[in-house]
Amino acid sequence: MNKTIVILNPAARSERARKSQARVESLAAGCTVCASSSAADAEKLARNAAAEGFDKVVAAGGDGTIHAVVNGLAGTSAALGLLPIGTVNVFALELGLPIHNLDMCWNIIQADDVRLVDLPSANGKYFIQLAGVGLDAQVVKETSLAFKRNFGPLSYLISAAQIAARQPPRLFLESSHTTIDEASFVLIGNGRRYGGPFPFFKHAVMNDGLLDVVAFKQVGYLEIIRYLQDVFFSSEIRLPQVEYFQTERLRISSDEEVPVELDGELVGNCPVEFELRHHRLRVLAPAVGKAR
């Protein structure tokens, strides 16, 4: 029995996506291929696959598909493989996978090279790359599916522009190393990248046992958006209102209803507690230095 299963996200409607999906099905000939109907379905398929003894569970899609599959694999010994065919493939980039070459990605899956990476969680829900409390979660919350279909990635920028003039919430942070009495927006990273190829979390390593945190202290949304545009291309955090630190645990609370997103998926509101399971996710990826 071939002990590899591919969980495919069939939601994409573009011609490029259809070609990618056809290529995935061709590459995975001889393996079990399951098309998920939703994120919850992808998570269930992954959980069942691990319970049935599949050694490799491959997520064919973008970061949303990977997020769902990882939540199904958490706590199991199955290894995660990636075939990046989504709109956003930040985690695959983080691992150094050749995101424009599915044949090479499939060869990596078959090569059996496993990397152990950290598995962070927020209120018991796992994520792989990034979490946000405040601004970006509010953007996700207010960007409808129809809006995303009509405008693509531009839809998030439009929503951000509409939110920019509002008064940001007051967030309170407690960690094992620091306390921040008031912040406007917080980003938590497991890897270095945020929103694409940009190394936002400058000191992040995916297997160091630490969460990387960027807290915007008492800064308006418009200033935050301007700062985000600048920091992607800078090697340092220069604003005194922005604090960068690393921690094993983090609690964020607020007197207001403030949304939380994990890997771009809305998961609820504050209060939220972040934890990290060190080296608890097995990923099929080349060793550091052998990528691409």
Side-chain angles (χ1 to χ4, degrees):
M1 175 183 175
N2 192 314
K3 303 298 284 184
T4 300
I5 185 173
V6 178
I7 298 174
L8 177 66
N9 173 17
R13 289 170 168 77
S14 69
E15 182 62 27
R16 174 183 171 274
R18 282 191 288 268
K19 288 180 178 178
S20 295
Q21 290 171 9
R23 184 63 188 139
V24 167
E25 291 171 345
S26 174
L27 286 170
C31 301
T32 302
V33 178
C34 295
S36 61
S37 59
S38 64
D41 187 42
E43 180 178 337
K44 182 180 178 181
L45 286 169
R47 184 175 295 110
N48 290 343
E52 291 168 12
F54 282 93
D55 299 321
K56 303 175 185 179
V57 180
V58 179
D63 289 329
T65 304
I66 298 168
H67 173 86
V69 169
V70 164
N71 273 274
L73 294 184
T76 76
S77 61
L80 171 70
L82 304 181
L83 287 173
I85 61 172
T87 304
V88 182
N89 301 292
V90 179
F91 186 54
L93 275 172
E94 191 78 44
L95 293 169
L97 297 181
I99 63 170
H100 300 297
N101 192 323
L102 289 181
D103 293 75
M104 288 184 65
C105 288
W106 186 250
N107 290 339
I108 288 168
I109 291 166
Q110 293 182 307
D112 295 331
D113 290 330
V114 174
R115 284 167 60 180
L116 297 177
V117 302
D118 297 337
L119 187 57
S121 65
N123 288 351
K125 184 77 171 177
Y126 296 99
F127 63 101
I128 48 169
Q129 187 72 27
L130 173 90
V133 181
L135 175 60
D136 68 341
Q138 193 69 42
V139 169
V140 171
K141 184 176 182 179
E142 298 190 20
T143 306
S144 68
L145 181 59
F147 205 47
K148 287 189 281 188
R149 286 174 178 169
N150 289 332
F151 295 97
L154 183 61
S155 61
Y156 293 105
L157 295 177
I158 296 171
S159 294
Q162 294 171 337
I163 294 169
R166 300 179 195 170
Q167 183 71 20
R170 296 176 62 205
L171 303 172
F172 310 102
L173 281 67
E174 303 170 68
S175 78
S176 47
H177 302 291
T178 187
T179 298
I180 297 178
D181 293 331
E182 185 173 339
S184 304
F185 175 41
V186 184
L187 289 170
I188 301 96
N190 188 35
R192 299 180 72 231
R193 290 170 172 81
Y194 172 51
F198 308 107
F200 183 78
F201 299 95
K202 310 299 180 182
H203 306 297
V205 180
M206 298 195 80
N207 59 358
D208 63 355
L210 295 170
L211 294 166
D212 286 59
V213 182
V214 175
F216 296 82
K217 300 185 291 184
Q218 302 180 39
V219 183
Y221 277 158
L222 191 58
E223 294 173 90
I224 291 171
I225 291 170
R226 287 172 178 163
Y227 175 79
L228 288 173
Q229 291 175 331
D230 292 338
V231 78
F232 286 144
F233 305 101
S234 171
S235 60
E236 298 178 5
I237 291 176
R238 297 184 175 90
L239 288 181
Q241 300 95 332
V242 179
E243 184 170 339
Y244 186 134
F245 62 94
Q246 295 177 307
T247 185
E248 298 93 355
R249 290 173 172 265
L250 175 67
R251 174 180 168 83
I252 302 177
S253 58
S254 178
D255 297 330
E256 307 166 55
E257 186 176 282
V258 183
V260 179
E261 63 87 7
L262 306 179
D263 297 325
E265 304 294 320
L266 202 64
V267 295
N269 299 307
C270 285
V272 56
E273 296 197 17
F274 293 92
E275 299 177 343
L276 195 73
R277 300 175 70 185
H278 187 41
H279 284 183
R280 295 303 293 271
L281 181 64
R282 303 176 72 243
V283 183
L284 295 159
V288 177
K290 291 173 64 178
R292 294 185 184 88

